[in-house]
Amino acid sequence: MTNASSGAPVSRRAAPQANTAARQGEGTPVSRRRTIVATTIGNALEFFDFTVYGFLALVIGKVFFPTFNSYGQLLLTVASFGVGFVMRPLGGIVIGAYADRAGRKKAMTLTIFLMALGCATIAFTPAYAQIGVAAPLLIVLARLIQGFSAGGEVGASTTLLVEHATPANRGYMASWQFASQGLGILLGALVVGVLTAALSPQAMESWGWRVPFLIGMLIAPVGMYIRRHLEESLEITEVPLHAPPRRSSLAEVCSQHGKVVLAATLSVIGGTAAAYVVTFYMPTYAIRELGLPPPVALFGAALTGLLSFGLAPFVGRWSDRVGRKRLIVWSRVALSLMIYPGFLWLNASPTPAVLLIVVGLLSATLVIQTVPGITMLPEMFPKRVRASGMSLVYSVGVALFGGFSPLISAWLVNATGNKLAPAWYLLVVSLVSMLGLLWMKDFTGKDIDAASAHEPAGKDLHAADARQAA
Protein backbone atom coordinates (compact mmCIF):
# COMPACT_ATOMS: atom_id res chain seq x y z
CA MET A 1 0.00 0.00 0.00
CA THR A 2 1.44 3.45 -0.91
CA ASN A 3 0.71 7.05 -0.03
CA ALA A 4 -1.01 8.73 -2.99
CA SER A 5 0.92 11.97 -2.65
CA SER A 6 4.43 10.69 -1.95
CA GLY A 7 4.43 7.12 -3.21
CA ALA A 8 5.98 5.99 0.07
CA PRO A 9 4.88 2.56 1.27
CA VAL A 10 2.59 2.74 4.26
CA SER A 11 0.95 0.33 6.65
CA ARG A 12 -1.97 0.49 9.02
CA ARG A 13 -0.94 1.25 12.58
CA ALA A 14 -2.79 2.76 15.50
CA ALA A 15 -1.73 6.32 16.03
CA PRO A 16 -0.80 7.09 19.62
CA GLN A 17 -3.70 9.47 20.04
CA ALA A 18 -7.41 9.37 20.68
CA ASN A 19 -9.99 10.31 18.13
CA THR A 20 -10.02 14.10 17.93
CA ALA A 21 -13.75 14.50 18.37
CA ALA A 22 -13.81 12.14 21.33
CA ARG A 23 -10.76 13.80 22.88
CA GLN A 24 -12.30 17.24 22.73
CA GLY A 25 -15.72 16.04 23.87
CA GLU A 26 -17.40 17.04 20.60
CA GLY A 27 -19.52 13.93 20.39
CA THR A 28 -23.23 14.55 20.49
CA PRO A 29 -25.31 13.57 23.52
CA VAL A 30 -26.91 10.89 21.33
CA SER A 31 -23.54 9.33 20.49
CA ARG A 32 -22.50 9.45 24.13
CA ARG A 33 -25.73 7.73 25.18
CA ARG A 34 -25.16 5.09 22.52
CA THR A 35 -21.65 4.51 23.85
CA ILE A 36 -22.95 4.22 27.42
CA VAL A 37 -25.69 1.73 26.47
CA ALA A 38 -23.43 -0.47 24.33
CA THR A 39 -20.61 -0.50 26.86
CA THR A 40 -22.91 -1.09 29.83
CA ILE A 41 -24.80 -4.02 28.33
CA GLY A 42 -21.69 -5.75 27.02
CA ASN A 43 -19.75 -5.25 30.24
CA ALA A 44 -22.70 -6.39 32.38
CA LEU A 45 -22.85 -9.64 30.40
CA GLU A 46 -19.13 -10.14 30.94
CA PHE A 47 -19.37 -9.62 34.70
CA PHE A 48 -22.44 -11.85 34.93
CA ASP A 49 -20.32 -14.65 33.47
CA PHE A 50 -17.26 -13.90 35.57
CA THR A 51 -18.96 -13.45 38.95
CA VAL A 52 -21.77 -16.01 38.93
CA TYR A 53 -19.14 -18.65 39.78
CA GLY A 54 -18.64 -16.99 43.16
CA PHE A 55 -22.34 -17.27 44.04
CA LEU A 56 -22.26 -21.01 43.31
CA ALA A 57 -19.16 -21.71 45.44
CA LEU A 58 -20.80 -24.20 47.81
CA VAL A 59 -22.51 -26.22 45.06
CA ILE A 60 -19.47 -26.26 42.76
CA GLY A 61 -17.33 -27.44 45.66
CA LYS A 62 -19.53 -30.52 46.09
CA VAL A 63 -19.57 -31.28 42.35
CA PHE A 64 -15.86 -30.88 41.59
CA PHE A 65 -14.10 -31.45 44.94
CA PRO A 66 -16.16 -34.26 46.55
CA THR A 67 -13.17 -36.03 48.13
CA PHE A 68 -12.58 -33.14 50.58
CA ASN A 69 -14.54 -32.15 53.66
CA SER A 70 -16.85 -29.15 53.53
CA TYR A 71 -14.12 -26.72 54.60
CA GLY A 72 -11.70 -28.13 52.00
CA GLN A 73 -14.38 -27.85 49.32
CA LEU A 74 -14.99 -24.22 50.25
CA LEU A 75 -11.29 -23.33 50.17
CA LEU A 76 -10.69 -25.07 46.84
CA THR A 77 -13.75 -23.46 45.27
CA VAL A 78 -12.90 -19.93 46.38
CA ALA A 79 -9.29 -20.62 45.34
CA SER A 80 -10.46 -21.60 41.85
CA PHE A 81 -12.55 -18.43 41.88
CA GLY A 82 -9.37 -16.51 42.72
CA VAL A 83 -7.36 -18.31 40.03
CA GLY A 84 -9.30 -16.28 37.48
CA PHE A 85 -7.63 -13.20 38.93
CA VAL A 86 -4.14 -14.61 38.43
CA MET A 87 -4.59 -14.16 34.69
CA ARG A 88 -6.03 -10.66 34.94
CA PRO A 89 -2.66 -8.87 34.89
CA LEU A 90 -1.59 -10.84 31.81
CA GLY A 91 -4.95 -10.17 30.14
CA GLY A 92 -4.66 -6.51 31.08
CA ILE A 93 -1.18 -6.27 29.55
CA VAL A 94 -1.93 -8.17 26.34
CA ILE A 95 -5.44 -6.86 25.61
CA GLY A 96 -4.57 -3.37 26.86
CA ALA A 97 -1.67 -3.19 24.40
CA TYR A 98 -3.98 -4.50 21.66
CA ALA A 99 -6.53 -1.79 22.50
CA ASP A 100 -3.81 0.88 22.26
CA ARG A 101 -2.66 -0.48 18.90
CA ALA A 102 -5.76 -1.76 17.09
CA GLY A 103 -8.55 0.16 18.82
CA ARG A 104 -10.87 -0.13 21.80
CA LYS A 105 -13.70 -1.82 19.86
CA LYS A 106 -11.58 -4.72 18.62
CA ALA A 107 -10.21 -5.32 22.09
CA MET A 108 -13.69 -5.34 23.61
CA THR A 109 -14.94 -7.77 20.96
CA LEU A 110 -12.06 -10.12 21.79
CA THR A 111 -12.89 -10.06 25.49
CA ILE A 112 -16.53 -10.93 24.74
CA PHE A 113 -15.48 -14.03 22.79
CA LEU A 114 -13.01 -15.21 25.45
CA MET A 115 -15.48 -14.76 28.31
CA ALA A 116 -18.12 -16.78 26.44
CA LEU A 117 -15.55 -19.54 25.77
CA GLY A 118 -14.75 -19.80 29.46
CA CYS A 119 -18.43 -19.86 30.34
CA ALA A 120 -19.14 -22.66 27.85
CA THR A 121 -16.27 -24.71 29.25
CA ILE A 122 -17.71 -24.52 32.77
CA ALA A 123 -21.25 -25.24 31.57
CA PHE A 124 -20.30 -28.47 29.76
CA THR A 125 -17.55 -29.86 32.02
CA PRO A 126 -18.60 -33.25 33.45
CA ALA A 127 -18.58 -33.70 37.22
CA TYR A 128 -15.69 -35.20 39.20
CA ALA A 129 -17.66 -38.43 39.54
CA GLN A 130 -17.61 -38.83 35.75
CA ILE A 131 -14.09 -37.90 34.65
CA GLY A 132 -12.14 -37.62 37.89
CA VAL A 133 -9.38 -35.06 38.35
CA ALA A 134 -9.80 -33.77 34.77
CA ALA A 135 -13.02 -32.06 35.88
CA PRO A 136 -11.51 -29.55 38.34
CA LEU A 137 -8.59 -29.00 35.94
CA LEU A 138 -11.03 -27.97 33.20
CA ILE A 139 -12.78 -25.63 35.64
CA VAL A 140 -9.46 -23.99 36.50
CA LEU A 141 -8.66 -23.63 32.78
CA ALA A 142 -12.03 -21.96 32.20
CA ARG A 143 -11.43 -19.56 35.08
CA LEU A 144 -8.01 -18.68 33.64
CA ILE A 145 -9.62 -17.84 30.29
CA GLN A 146 -12.28 -15.73 31.99
CA GLY A 147 -9.66 -13.94 34.08
CA PHE A 148 -7.61 -13.14 30.98
CA SER A 149 -10.73 -11.67 29.37
CA ALA A 150 -11.79 -9.64 32.41
CA GLY A 151 -8.27 -8.23 32.74
CA GLY A 152 -8.56 -6.57 29.36
CA GLU A 153 -12.25 -5.66 29.47
CA VAL A 154 -12.13 -3.12 32.28
CA GLY A 155 -9.23 -1.15 30.83
CA ALA A 156 -10.56 -1.05 27.27
CA SER A 157 -14.15 -0.19 28.20
CA THR A 158 -13.26 2.46 30.80
CA THR A 159 -10.80 4.07 28.39
CA LEU A 160 -13.46 4.18 25.68
CA LEU A 161 -15.94 5.87 28.01
CA VAL A 162 -13.38 8.42 29.25
CA GLU A 163 -12.31 9.28 25.70
CA HIS A 164 -15.91 9.99 24.69
CA ALA A 165 -16.32 12.38 27.62
CA THR A 166 -15.64 16.06 28.12
CA PRO A 167 -13.45 17.28 31.00
CA ALA A 168 -16.66 18.26 32.79
CA ASN A 169 -18.36 14.83 32.65
CA ARG A 170 -15.59 12.21 32.69
CA GLY A 171 -16.65 10.97 36.12
CA TYR A 172 -20.20 10.45 34.91
CA MET A 173 -19.12 8.64 31.74
CA ALA A 174 -16.64 6.37 33.55
CA SER A 175 -19.22 5.62 36.26
CA TRP A 176 -21.14 3.48 33.80
CA GLN A 177 -18.27 0.99 33.75
CA PHE A 178 -18.76 0.34 37.46
CA ALA A 179 -22.54 0.56 37.11
CA SER A 180 -22.39 -2.20 34.50
CA GLN A 181 -20.38 -4.37 36.89
CA GLY A 182 -23.17 -3.87 39.43
CA LEU A 183 -25.77 -4.81 36.84
CA GLY A 184 -23.91 -8.04 36.03
CA ILE A 185 -23.59 -8.90 39.72
CA LEU A 186 -27.28 -8.12 40.28
CA LEU A 187 -28.36 -10.40 37.43
CA GLY A 188 -26.02 -13.18 38.57
CA ALA A 189 -27.22 -13.07 42.17
CA LEU A 190 -30.89 -13.00 41.13
CA VAL A 191 -30.52 -15.93 38.73
CA VAL A 192 -28.68 -18.06 41.29
CA GLY A 193 -31.08 -16.97 44.05
CA VAL A 194 -34.16 -17.92 42.05
CA LEU A 195 -32.67 -21.28 41.08
CA THR A 196 -31.68 -22.01 44.68
CA ALA A 197 -35.19 -21.19 45.90
CA ALA A 198 -36.97 -23.09 43.13
CA LEU A 199 -34.87 -26.28 42.96
CA SER A 200 -34.12 -28.96 45.53
CA PRO A 201 -30.49 -29.29 46.69
CA GLN A 202 -30.24 -32.51 44.68
CA ALA A 203 -31.48 -30.87 41.47
CA MET A 204 -29.18 -27.90 42.04
CA GLU A 205 -26.14 -30.17 42.38
CA SER A 206 -27.23 -32.36 39.46
CA TRP A 207 -27.94 -29.76 36.78
CA GLY A 208 -29.28 -26.50 38.20
CA TRP A 209 -25.85 -24.93 38.77
CA ARG A 210 -25.14 -25.18 35.02
CA VAL A 211 -28.10 -22.98 34.03
CA PRO A 212 -26.43 -19.60 34.77
CA PHE A 213 -23.42 -20.57 32.66
CA LEU A 214 -25.64 -21.68 29.79
CA ILE A 215 -27.40 -18.30 30.00
CA GLY A 216 -24.01 -16.62 30.10
CA MET A 217 -23.04 -18.15 26.77
CA LEU A 218 -25.43 -15.67 25.16
CA ILE A 219 -22.74 -13.07 25.75
CA ALA A 220 -21.04 -13.95 22.46
CA PRO A 221 -23.78 -13.18 19.90
CA VAL A 222 -25.53 -10.48 21.94
CA GLY A 223 -22.37 -8.71 23.06
CA MET A 224 -20.72 -8.76 19.64
CA TYR A 225 -23.85 -7.40 17.97
CA ILE A 226 -24.10 -4.55 20.47
CA ARG A 227 -20.44 -3.61 20.23
CA ARG A 228 -20.51 -3.44 16.46
CA HIS A 229 -22.34 -0.12 16.88
CA LEU A 230 -19.76 1.46 19.18
CA GLU A 231 -17.91 4.51 17.92
CA GLU A 232 -14.14 3.96 18.05
CA SER A 233 -12.21 6.51 20.12
CA LEU A 234 -8.73 5.64 18.83
CA GLU A 235 -7.72 7.12 15.50
CA ILE A 236 -6.10 4.63 13.12
CA THR A 237 -3.71 6.31 10.67
CA GLU A 238 -1.39 5.23 7.90
CA VAL A 239 2.34 5.45 8.62
CA PRO A 240 5.38 4.62 6.45
CA LEU A 241 5.94 0.88 6.17
CA HIS A 242 9.63 1.19 7.09
CA ALA A 243 9.07 3.54 10.01
CA PRO A 244 10.77 2.48 13.28
CA PRO A 245 8.51 0.12 15.27
CA ARG A 246 6.58 1.71 18.05
CA ARG A 247 7.87 0.96 21.53
CA SER A 248 5.75 -1.55 23.42
CA SER A 249 3.11 0.13 25.54
CA LEU A 250 4.02 -1.99 28.59
CA ALA A 251 7.66 -0.88 28.40
CA GLU A 252 6.59 2.75 28.10
CA VAL A 253 4.13 2.51 30.98
CA CYS A 254 6.66 0.90 33.33
CA SER A 255 9.66 3.03 32.36
CA GLN A 256 8.03 6.45 32.07
CA HIS A 257 5.10 6.08 34.47
CA GLY A 258 6.43 3.60 37.03
CA LYS A 259 5.67 5.78 40.07
CA VAL A 260 2.12 6.33 38.84
CA VAL A 261 1.66 2.58 38.36
CA LEU A 262 2.83 1.83 41.91
CA ALA A 263 0.76 4.58 43.52
CA ALA A 264 -2.37 3.75 41.54
CA THR A 265 -2.05 0.01 42.24
CA LEU A 266 -1.69 0.70 45.95
CA SER A 267 -4.79 2.90 45.90
CA VAL A 268 -6.81 0.23 44.06
CA ILE A 269 -6.26 -2.63 46.50
CA GLY A 270 -8.37 -1.14 49.29
CA GLY A 271 -11.50 -0.79 47.22
CA THR A 272 -11.16 -4.13 45.42
CA ALA A 273 -10.53 -6.11 48.62
CA ALA A 274 -13.61 -4.61 50.25
CA ALA A 275 -15.72 -5.07 47.11
CA TYR A 276 -14.99 -8.76 46.74
CA VAL A 277 -15.43 -9.55 50.42
CA VAL A 278 -18.75 -7.70 50.65
CA THR A 279 -20.08 -8.94 47.31
CA PHE A 280 -18.76 -12.50 47.01
CA TYR A 281 -17.55 -13.70 50.39
CA MET A 282 -20.40 -12.37 52.51
CA PRO A 283 -23.02 -14.67 50.93
CA THR A 284 -20.82 -17.70 51.68
CA TYR A 285 -19.99 -16.28 55.13
CA ALA A 286 -23.67 -15.74 55.94
CA ILE A 287 -24.56 -19.30 54.92
CA ARG A 288 -21.61 -21.18 56.41
CA GLU A 289 -20.74 -19.17 59.52
CA LEU A 290 -24.08 -17.59 60.47
CA GLY A 291 -26.53 -20.25 59.29
CA LEU A 292 -28.65 -18.00 57.08
CA PRO A 293 -30.59 -19.64 54.22
CA PRO A 294 -28.87 -19.43 50.80
CA PRO A 295 -31.58 -17.34 49.06
CA VAL A 296 -31.37 -14.60 51.73
CA ALA A 297 -27.59 -14.39 51.42
CA LEU A 298 -27.78 -14.19 47.63
CA PHE A 299 -30.36 -11.43 47.77
CA GLY A 300 -27.85 -9.56 49.92
CA ALA A 301 -25.39 -9.80 47.01
CA ALA A 302 -28.16 -8.68 44.66
CA LEU A 303 -28.60 -5.59 46.84
CA THR A 304 -24.91 -4.79 46.34
CA GLY A 305 -25.32 -5.01 42.59
CA LEU A 306 -28.49 -2.91 42.65
CA LEU A 307 -26.84 -0.14 44.68
CA SER A 308 -23.78 -0.16 42.45
CA PHE A 309 -25.91 0.13 39.32
CA GLY A 310 -28.27 2.75 40.75
CA LEU A 311 -25.83 5.00 42.62
CA ALA A 312 -22.79 4.96 40.33
CA PRO A 313 -23.98 7.60 37.80
CA PHE A 314 -24.91 10.02 40.61
CA VAL A 315 -21.54 9.50 42.30
CA GLY A 316 -19.86 10.07 38.94
CA ARG A 317 -21.53 13.47 38.57
CA TRP A 318 -20.69 14.24 42.20
CA SER A 319 -17.00 13.52 41.56
CA ASP A 320 -17.08 15.84 38.54
CA ARG A 321 -18.16 18.65 40.86
CA VAL A 322 -16.13 18.14 44.04
CA GLY A 323 -13.11 16.17 42.81
CA ARG A 324 -12.10 12.50 42.82
CA LYS A 325 -9.66 12.40 45.75
CA ARG A 326 -12.01 14.04 48.23
CA LEU A 327 -14.71 11.42 47.70
CA ILE A 328 -12.25 8.53 47.83
CA VAL A 329 -10.63 9.68 51.08
CA TRP A 330 -13.82 10.37 53.01
CA SER A 331 -15.61 7.24 51.80
CA ARG A 332 -12.63 5.07 52.81
CA VAL A 333 -12.56 6.68 56.21
CA ALA A 334 -16.28 5.93 56.54
CA LEU A 335 -15.78 2.33 55.39
CA SER A 336 -12.93 1.82 57.85
CA LEU A 337 -15.16 3.05 60.69
CA MET A 338 -18.09 0.85 59.62
CA ILE A 339 -16.37 -2.48 58.87
CA TYR A 340 -15.82 -3.83 62.38
CA PRO A 341 -19.15 -2.66 63.89
CA GLY A 342 -20.93 -4.09 60.84
CA PHE A 343 -19.42 -7.57 61.25
CA LEU A 344 -19.92 -7.38 65.02
CA TRP A 345 -23.62 -6.56 64.65
CA LEU A 346 -24.12 -9.25 62.01
CA ASN A 347 -22.58 -11.91 64.27
CA ALA A 348 -24.57 -10.73 67.29
CA SER A 349 -27.84 -10.67 65.37
CA PRO A 350 -27.61 -12.89 62.25
CA THR A 351 -30.98 -12.06 60.72
CA PRO A 352 -31.87 -11.29 57.10
CA ALA A 353 -32.69 -7.68 57.97
CA VAL A 354 -29.33 -7.07 59.64
CA LEU A 355 -27.48 -8.71 56.73
CA LEU A 356 -29.23 -6.44 54.20
CA ILE A 357 -28.59 -3.31 56.28
CA VAL A 358 -24.87 -4.08 56.76
CA VAL A 359 -24.36 -5.06 53.13
CA GLY A 360 -26.29 -2.00 51.96
CA LEU A 361 -24.28 0.48 54.04
CA LEU A 362 -20.93 -1.06 53.10
CA SER A 363 -21.94 -1.22 49.44
CA ALA A 364 -22.93 2.47 49.37
CA THR A 365 -19.52 3.51 50.70
CA LEU A 366 -17.88 1.20 48.16
CA VAL A 367 -19.69 2.94 45.30
CA ILE A 368 -18.61 6.37 46.56
CA GLN A 369 -14.94 5.38 46.57
CA THR A 370 -14.86 3.09 43.54
CA VAL A 371 -16.46 5.36 40.93
CA PRO A 372 -13.98 8.24 41.32
CA GLY A 373 -11.20 5.67 41.74
CA ILE A 374 -11.95 3.91 38.46
CA THR A 375 -12.21 7.31 36.75
CA MET A 376 -8.79 8.40 38.02
CA LEU A 377 -6.97 5.37 36.60
CA PRO A 378 -7.25 6.17 32.86
CA GLU A 379 -6.80 9.87 33.67
CA MET A 380 -3.31 9.09 35.00
CA PHE A 381 -1.89 7.98 31.64
CA PRO A 382 -1.34 9.67 28.24
CA LYS A 383 -3.58 8.61 25.39
CA ARG A 384 -1.01 6.47 23.57
CA VAL A 385 -0.76 4.02 26.51
CA ARG A 386 -4.00 4.76 28.35
CA ALA A 387 -5.68 1.36 27.95
CA SER A 388 -2.44 -0.46 28.81
CA GLY A 389 -1.79 1.61 31.93
CA MET A 390 -5.37 1.39 33.15
CA SER A 391 -5.55 -2.37 32.51
CA LEU A 392 -2.22 -3.09 34.21
CA VAL A 393 -2.99 -1.10 37.36
CA TYR A 394 -6.55 -2.32 37.80
CA SER A 395 -5.89 -6.00 37.02
CA VAL A 396 -2.80 -6.22 39.26
CA GLY A 397 -4.63 -4.52 42.14
CA VAL A 398 -7.63 -6.79 41.76
CA ALA A 399 -5.46 -9.90 41.39
CA LEU A 400 -3.44 -9.21 44.54
CA PHE A 401 -6.19 -8.22 46.95
CA GLY A 402 -9.51 -8.66 45.13
CA GLY A 403 -9.98 -12.17 43.83
CA PHE A 404 -8.19 -13.83 46.71
CA SER A 405 -9.96 -11.80 49.41
CA PRO A 406 -12.69 -14.47 49.82
CA LEU A 407 -9.99 -17.14 50.18
CA ILE A 408 -8.01 -15.04 52.68
CA SER A 409 -11.16 -14.29 54.65
CA ALA A 410 -12.24 -17.94 54.79
CA TRP A 411 -8.73 -18.98 55.85
CA LEU A 412 -8.54 -16.30 58.55
CA VAL A 413 -11.86 -17.36 60.07
CA ASN A 414 -10.75 -21.01 60.21
CA ALA A 415 -7.17 -20.30 61.38
CA THR A 416 -8.09 -17.84 64.14
CA GLY A 417 -11.50 -19.17 65.10
CA ASN A 418 -12.61 -15.53 65.07
CA LYS A 419 -15.62 -14.79 62.89
CA LEU A 420 -14.67 -11.10 62.89
CA ALA A 421 -11.28 -11.74 61.24
CA PRO A 422 -12.45 -10.55 57.77
CA ALA A 423 -13.28 -7.15 59.29
CA TRP A 424 -9.74 -6.69 60.59
CA TYR A 425 -8.32 -7.76 57.23
CA LEU A 426 -10.42 -5.19 55.37
CA LEU A 427 -9.59 -2.47 57.88
CA VAL A 428 -5.82 -2.94 57.43
CA VAL A 429 -5.99 -3.12 53.63
CA SER A 430 -8.25 -0.05 53.39
CA LEU A 431 -5.95 2.09 55.53
CA VAL A 432 -2.75 0.99 53.76
CA SER A 433 -4.24 1.70 50.33
CA MET A 434 -4.82 5.33 51.35
CA LEU A 435 -1.07 5.89 50.98
CA GLY A 436 -1.30 5.50 47.21
CA LEU A 437 -3.56 8.54 46.93
CA LEU A 438 -0.77 10.79 48.22
CA TRP A 439 1.16 10.38 44.95
CA MET A 440 -1.79 10.50 42.56
CA LYS A 441 -2.75 13.67 40.69
CA ASP A 442 -6.40 14.72 40.56
CA PHE A 443 -7.37 15.58 36.97
CA THR A 444 -10.98 16.53 37.74
CA GLY A 445 -12.13 19.09 35.16
CA LYS A 446 -8.74 19.16 33.40
CA ASP A 447 -7.72 18.22 29.87
CA ILE A 448 -6.01 14.84 30.22
CA ASP A 449 -4.78 15.03 26.61
CA ALA A 450 -2.90 18.30 27.02
CA ALA A 451 0.74 18.03 25.95
CA SER A 452 2.10 18.56 29.49
CA ALA A 453 -0.65 16.76 31.42
CA HIS A 454 1.38 13.63 32.16
CA GLU A 455 4.91 15.01 32.27
CA PRO A 456 6.85 14.39 35.49
CA ALA A 457 6.78 17.30 37.90
CA GLY A 458 10.45 18.05 37.26
CA LYS A 459 9.84 18.41 33.54
CA ASP A 460 6.96 20.78 34.17
CA LEU A 461 9.22 22.99 36.31
CA HIS A 462 12.02 22.98 33.74
CA ALA A 463 9.55 23.85 30.99
CA ALA A 464 8.16 26.72 33.04
CA ASP A 465 11.68 28.01 33.76
CA ALA A 466 12.52 27.85 30.06
CA ARG A 467 9.39 29.78 29.10
CA GLN A 468 10.13 32.40 31.77
CA ALA A 469 13.73 32.80 30.58
CA ALA A 470 12.56 33.20 26.99
Side-chain angles (χ1 to χ4, degrees), residues 315-393:
V315 175
R317 290 196 183 278
W318 191 10
S319 75
D320 284 326
R321 291 196 300 269
V322 304
R324 324 278 188 230
K325 274 192 177 183
R326 183 180 300 178
L327 287 185
I328 296 173
V329 169
W330 287 112
S331 60
R332 286 197 177 171
V333 169
L335 182 66
S336 299
L337 294 175
M338 291 166 54
I339 287 173
Y340 185 78
F343 270 85
L344 189 65
W345 186 25
L346 186 57
N347 276 268
S349 181
T351 65
V354 172
L355 174 67
L356 294 177
I357 292 172
V358 171
V359 167
L361 290 174
L362 294 177
S363 297
T365 59
L366 280 172
V367 177
I368 297 173
Q369 68 175 274
T370 304
V371 169
I374 207 171
T375 305
M376 287 187 75
L377 297 184
E379 290 180 324
M380 305 305 295
F381 298 95
K383 51 188 172 285
R384 62 184 176 273
V385 294
R386 183 164 293 145
S388 298
M390 161 74 187
S391 298
L392 176 64
V393 167

Side-chain angles (χ1 to χ4, degrees), residues 47 50-51 53-54 57 74-89 143 147 150 181 268-282 284 393-411 425-426 429:
F47 272 83
F50 187 73
T51 59
Y53 185 95
L74 175 62
L75 278 187
L76 287 171
T77 306
V78 295
S80 57
F81 176 76
V83 159
F85 292 83
V86 173
M87 289 294 285
R88 288 186 75 156
R143 290 298 297 169
Q181 294 186 33
V268 163
I269 64 175
T272 57
Y276 281 89
V277 168
V278 172
T279 306
F280 300 109
Y281 176 67
M282 266 201 162
T284 301
V393 167
Y394 187 81
S395 58
V396 169
V398 171
L400 291 177
F401 288 92
F404 285 102
S405 288
L407 174 64
I408 295 171
S409 299
W411 177 81
Y425 165 70
L426 289 184
V429 173

